[in-house]
Amino acid sequence: MKTRNDGVEGLEPIASIGVPGTVDVSTPVPARVRIRYRGRSIELRGLRLPPKGIWKWLLILGPGLIATSAGNDAGGIATYSSAGAKFGYDMIWVMLVLTLSFAVVQEMCTRLGAATGRGLLDLIREKFGIGWTMFAIGIIIVANGGVTVSEFVGIGAGSELLGISRYISVPIAAAGLWYLVIFGSYAKVEKVFLLMTLVFFAYPVAAVLSYPDWGAVAKGATVPTIRFESEYIFLLVGILGTTITPYIQIFQQSSTVERGTARKHYGPERLDAYFGSVFSNLMSISMMIATAATLFVIGQHDIESAADAARALEPVAGTAAGTLFAIGLIGASLLAGGVLPLATSYAISEAFGIPKGVNLDYRRGKTFFALFTAFIIFGAAVALIPDIPVFPLLVGIQVLNGVLLPVILVFILLLINNKRLTGDLSNTRTTNILGWGTFVIISLAVSVMLAGQILGMLGIDIFPK
């Protein structure tokens, strides 16, 4: 904000000095306004009217769009690509149903954050006690630890597409992310990572340029096809886990709290949650269509490497498909590889009342920084295991998330329906039906998969050949 103050140099903006009864910068004011301060006439310039129209709504978008888009990371890319390559267009209907469930769950987390001004782990500790808190933390550590591994695996796979060994790229990436959070300005570098992930907008283009059978696409989207096969159920649980993954719910609620959304002003954030869920899943569906039209049709049903998945972008980039895919994969993995350990450290610290925050000095924040460092080291170390099966591991971690997801959903649903906490922002009958319905469907899919796996180890095959 520029000021002209008739000789008074270095005057702070009016919002900082807090002059009573003069100008409220949160309300519409002229481009120029003159006030009196300590007997002097001061002209303030550069004040802007609040944004209107489309700009007003674009400024609303934030935690919801970021959180839901984070699901399209290394594990998400591997899972959605595998579904398209193995089953063609048959699982698109799953994504459409999940879009509704995803939007409902994310909106509940946003509303819970606005209603209470507190994070999920903090609420679990208060309402369910330390025992259930420890159980929830165990779930989060396993789920987020696995996803952190998948991000460093994605960095290694992307770098090898560019001819750089993962034994070089992964340690450098781990050290760089650690330094950015501990000593640097992660927010600035995050913008670079986000720009790198924009290459995945090529998937919707690839979905069109690969000339899919649009009749088959429409059928796959509108006619539910359930195959009672172990591979189908396994991938189904993986899709559930990578779409409605636990860390996205935790991040959504914490970001809403951090943003300072007041319960009496809650409303626009609902649009943010809904828009983010729809936008993210449209990208996921595009990945399915692109891989189905390029890999499934030629009989390449198994994706074993990043190079296999990159072939889905050949209609857009031709021989440069591998490079384009590698840049996007590395960008998505770097972004989530920094955010996930940080978000997990916040959650654990919050649960035990430990001082937390990147701006803390080491003496006060040593436990918080130790947690973050441990997650970075663990993720990078596992990613460097020799001969690790990259894409099967990425999909397997998303399946693990699917198995753990019902536990987190129960906590969210019980908390959002506690009227002492949420008051008039508690669930309606419709959102409860959709929320508990999502829990039942996910639990059923997980139960069938686990039953098949356990009985299969005992020599009993419940899935027909």
Side-chain angles (χ1 to χ4, degrees), residues 153-171:
V153 169
I155 291 169
S159 67
E160 288 180 340
L161 275 179
L162 299 176
I164 303 171
S165 170
R166 61 189 167 110
Y167 295 103
I168 297 175
S169 62
V170 170

Side-chain angles (χ1 to χ4, degrees), residues 79 82 86-87 91 227 229-241 391-400 402-403 445 448-450 453 463:
T79 306
S82 296
K86 189 173 290 290
F87 297 107
M91 300 191 85
R227 300 189 185 189
E229 303 171 7
S230 58
E231 289 185 332
Y232 184 93
I233 301 298
F234 186 82
L235 261 181
L236 175 61
V237 175
I239 289 173
L240 296 172
F391 266 58
L393 175 67
L394 294 178
V395 176
I397 289 173
Q398 305 315 310
V399 173
L400 174 63
V403 172
V448 172
M449 186 203 72
L450 291 178
Q453 297 282 336
F463 299 109

Side-chain angles (χ1 to χ4, degrees), residues 306-329:
D308 292 339
R311 294 184 61 185
L313 292 178
E314 287 183 353
V316 176
T319 57
T323 301
L324 183 67
F325 181 86
I327 293 172
L329 182 61

Side-chain angles (χ1 to χ4, degrees), residues 101-118:
S101 296
F102 192 25
V104 168
V105 172
Q106 292 305 113
E107 192 276 331
M108 281 195 296
C109 291
T110 304
R111 188 156 27 95
L112 187 57
T116 63
R118 298 162 70 183

Side-chain angles (χ1 to χ4, degrees), residues 319-391:
T319 57
T323 301
L324 183 67
F325 181 86
I327 293 172
L329 182 61
I330 291 171
S333 301
L334 281 170
L335 177 61
V339 171
L340 257 167
L342 193 59
T344 310
S345 301
Y346 269 111
I348 296 174
S349 300
E350 183 181 76
F352 293 105
I354 298 171
K356 61 186 186 297
V358 176
N359 293 325
L360 292 176
D361 57 52
Y362 181 76
R363 183 180 60 83
R364 291 187 300 146
K366 58 183 178 182
T367 302
F368 173 78
F369 292 133
L371 288 168
F372 175 78
T373 303
F375 267 86
I376 289 284
I377 293 174
F378 172 75
V382 175
L384 291 176
I385 295 176
D387 301 321
I388 190 170
V390 175
F391 266 58

Side-chain angles (χ1 to χ4, degrees), residues 60-73:
I60 291 171
L61 302 178
L65 182 59
I66 294 171
T68 52
S69 295
N72 288 331
D73 56 0

